[in-house]
Amino acid sequence: MRPIVEVINEHSERLMAHDQVVMVYESRTAEGEPCLKIGISCSQDELTVDLPERLEGYPVIVVETGEVAPR
Amino acid sequence: MNRLPFRSARLAAMVLLALGVSVGLYACSQDNGALNDQSGITKPDAQAATFTVNHPEIQRVMRIQDAATPDLMGADPLVVGTATGMGPNGDVVIKVYLEDALPPGKLPGQIEGVTVEQHVTGRLVAFKGPPPMDGGNNGADPRAPQTAPVKMGTSGGWRYDLANGFCCGGTLGSLIQSGGTKYILSNYHVLYADIVPGGNGQVASAGDEVIQPALIDVGCNANSSLNIGTLVNNGGSLPGANIDAGIAQVTPGMVDESGAILDIGTISSSTVAASVGQDVKKMGRTTGLGRATVDGLNANVNITYENECAGGTAFTKSFTGQIITTNNRCNFLDGGDSGSLMVEDVTTDPRAVGLLFAGSVTCNKRAIAIANPIGDVLSHYNASMVGN
């Protein structure tokens, strides 16, 4: 598999083009496996875009971060 | 800057007036001419550079203002404050702040020969964050006024950061040094984000003072704060760079030059890269000493900035390579904590990890905080951390 940072940079612009996607980042699953996390501004029930379960072999976890702003 | 809860400051303003505090009742205005007397008159323009709070003419008008304030405040419930300031022609005037316009003749045009200017500011309000939390260790209050030399990890901001009915502020995070000169490190959006004359008639500029505490913690009255540093040319990183950083040159004697952070102490001059699962801590103006865990790296995220305190949209910045931490119910990062230095969670001389600048607006269990990698910040300024 490609390094995860390359996968993020490859796909984040496309993913973030959707209004409900606020960020894409590298993280770990509960089992310690490298994964991508996608922050969304709404609840998963309200999500109107289909997000992948895996990207280039890496699992994708959707996180309800809400909107983000300077704090 | 940040979206802090606010409350009416009218009561506080009236108390200040009752105590005879003549200068510095700070109102925010939708009237472009009303706020050239930021904090009274301590922000003179170039043509009035000799006018400071100690100037004899200022002192004379302040005495007249003090004497007249009870009558002015009692003239109508719509009068919300008074101040001594600069008129449009550079003369010293008494300014009367109004919640709404008064009929002609309601207030005098002059008092003892001093022009009385009326400014419709609306109600006076101050951005206020919730009480600081201390992580359960009964830590110091980061919002409290410090005695010089002040520590980092405390409330601070641009001295003139008020507009549109609000005043703003953030956290003075840490000290960095470059070429033998020491600088306070905070965020662009804490120190440099006022880029339009807009609601206060000015923009953040090199030479402007940085204060401790921030206006949000002194009822929008900068005269209750210490000037501890000054903005510098190219001190703000946005919109160009991939970091939200702002620096201010330390005023000699006003800052603890060991770089000590309140409730954290001295830090290391070395830094460490973030890693997933890393335990980190920070000291911020709003939530105090807080702890979190790094949850993500290489984050791509879009952040929208305002063009002044409570202003309009300035631009949206697409950041790459950012650090994500857990922020359960915003206990780690909330409005006003911006500028905090995120360090590794060790007791002695922790190494810097990142510069906190953004986070979730909704404070639920899944809230996150976002930091610039500290290495990127230091590279931008060709600087190093001040520490052991």
Side-chain angles (χ1 to χ4, degrees):
Chain A
M1 288 193 294
R2 285 202 293 172
I4 196 165
V5 65
E6 290 184 12
V7 177
I8 290 171
N9 291 336
E10 172 80 21
H11 295 278
S12 63
E13 184 174 348
R14 174 177 59 84
L15 293 168
M16 292 174 65
H18 195 283
D19 288 344
Q20 293 171 310
V21 174
V22 296
M23 67 178 70
V24 181
Y25 59 99
E26 168 190 350
S27 188
R28 300 267 172 178
T29 65
E31 293 74 34
E33 182 185 3
C35 70
L36 277 74
K37 287 188 176 177
I38 299 178
I40 58 173
S41 60
C42 57
S43 71
Q44 294 205 46
D45 293 342
E46 297 167 326
L47 199 59
T48 60
V49 61
D50 287 329
L51 296 176
E53 294 184 358
R54 299 187 80 87
L55 265 178
E56 298 194 24
Y58 292 102
V60 172
I61 296 174
V62 177
V63 183
E64 296 171 1
T65 60
E67 297 283 357
V68 293
R71 303 302 286 154
Chain B
M1 178 170 295
N2 45 50
R3 298 182 186 280
L4 298 174
F6 62 88
R7 68 182 186 189
S8 171
R10 183 177 182 191
L11 178 61
M14 292 179 70
V15 169
L16 288 174
L17 289 164
L19 293 174
V21 179
S22 307
V23 182
L25 169 61
Y26 209 116
C28 301
S29 176
Q30 297 168 6
D31 172 351
N32 287 339
L35 289 174
N36 291 329
D37 63 329
Q38 295 247 8
S39 303
I41 36 62
T42 54
K43 172 60 175 170
D45 59 27
Q47 289 72 40
T50 56
F51 282 114
T52 71
V53 72
N54 297 318
H55 190 282
E57 178 63 3
I58 297 291
Q59 292 284 329
R60 183 182 77 86
V61 175
M62 283 168 55
R63 285 192 292 273
I64 296 170
Q65 177 216 338
D66 275 350
T69 288
D71 287 341
L72 292 170
M73 296 289 287
D76 193 284
L78 293 175
V79 178
V80 295
T82 71
T84 296
M86 304 295 294
N89 300 320
D91 51 336
V92 183
V93 302
I94 295 171
K95 299 203 173 196
V96 179
Y97 299 113
L98 305 170
E99 189 171 335
D100 203 350
L102 293 177
K106 189 78 174 183
L107 296 178
Q110 288 194 330
I111 299 175
E112 297 186 33
V114 177
T115 299
V116 175
E117 287 187 359
Q118 300 181 34
H119 297 281
V120 178
T121 61
R123 294 177 66 195
L124 299 176
V125 296
F127 266 135
K128 286 286 186 182
M133 292 172 285
D134 58 17
N137 69 348
N138 300 312
D141 183 354
R143 297 178 305 169
Q146 296 262 306
T147 302
V150 307
K151 283 187 167 55
M152 297 294 94
T154 56
S155 167
W158 181 49
R159 184 180 176 92
Y160 312 104
D161 200 4
L162 73 168
N164 309 307
F166 298 93
C167 59
C168 290
T171 299
L172 308 171
S174 59
L175 285 191
I176 63 174
Q177 56 188 352
S178 178
T181 301
K182 290 180 178 171
Y183 300 90
I184 299 159
L185 174 63
S186 184
N187 291 137
Y188 158 87
H189 79 267
V190 172
L191 300 179
Y192 288 89
D194 192 322
I195 58 174
V196 294
N200 58 4
Q202 63 187 106
V203 298
S205 305
D208 288 351
E209 300 91 347
V210 168
I211 56 173
Q212 196 289 320
L215 291 176
I216 50 175
D217 293 314
V218 288
C220 303
N221 176 11
N223 289 335
S224 297
S225 297
L226 294 175
N227 292 328
I228 64 166
T230 52
L231 302 187
V232 296
N233 288 318
N234 302 314
S237 66
L238 289 176
N242 189 42
I243 55 172
D244 179 353
I247 60 173
Q249 186 170 343
V250 167
T251 299
M254 300 306 290
V255 174
D256 182 341
E257 297 200 21
S258 73
I261 298 172
L262 196 68
D263 274 7
I264 288 178
T266 56
I267 65 171
S268 173
S269 59
S270 301
T271 63
V272 61
S275 57
V276 176
Q278 181 182 36
D279 292 328
V280 292
K281 62 183 177 181
K282 70 92 191 57
M283 184 66 175
R285 174 261 169 200
T286 303
T287 61
L289 181 63
R291 291 179 162 83
T293 302
V294 173
D295 182 56
L297 305 171
N298 298 313
N300 292 351
V301 59
N302 297 331
I303 303 291
T304 298
Y305 288 86
E306 294 180 342
N307 56 15
E308 63 180 348
C309 183
T313 297
F315 55 86
T316 296
K317 176 70 179 178
S318 295
F319 290 96
T320 62
Q322 304 303 305
I323 304 167
I324 305 297
T325 68
T326 56
N327 188 23
N328 184 16
R329 303 190 188 286
C330 300
N331 288 339
F332 185 64
L333 183 82
D334 207 343
D337 284 328
S338 274
S340 304
L341 186 71
M342 187 168 77
V343 301
E344 58 183 343
D345 190 6
V346 299
T347 303
T348 304
D349 295 341
R351 293 172 294 180
V353 176
L355 174 62
L356 288 157
F357 72 102
S360 297
V361 174
T362 303
C363 294
N364 58 30
K365 289 196 294 186
R366 290 170 292 278
I368 53 97
I370 310 171
N372 304 134
I374 194 63
D376 292 355
V377 175
L378 295 175
S379 293
H380 179 81
Y381 293 111
N382 191 26
S384 59
M385 300 305 304
V386 172
N388 292 327

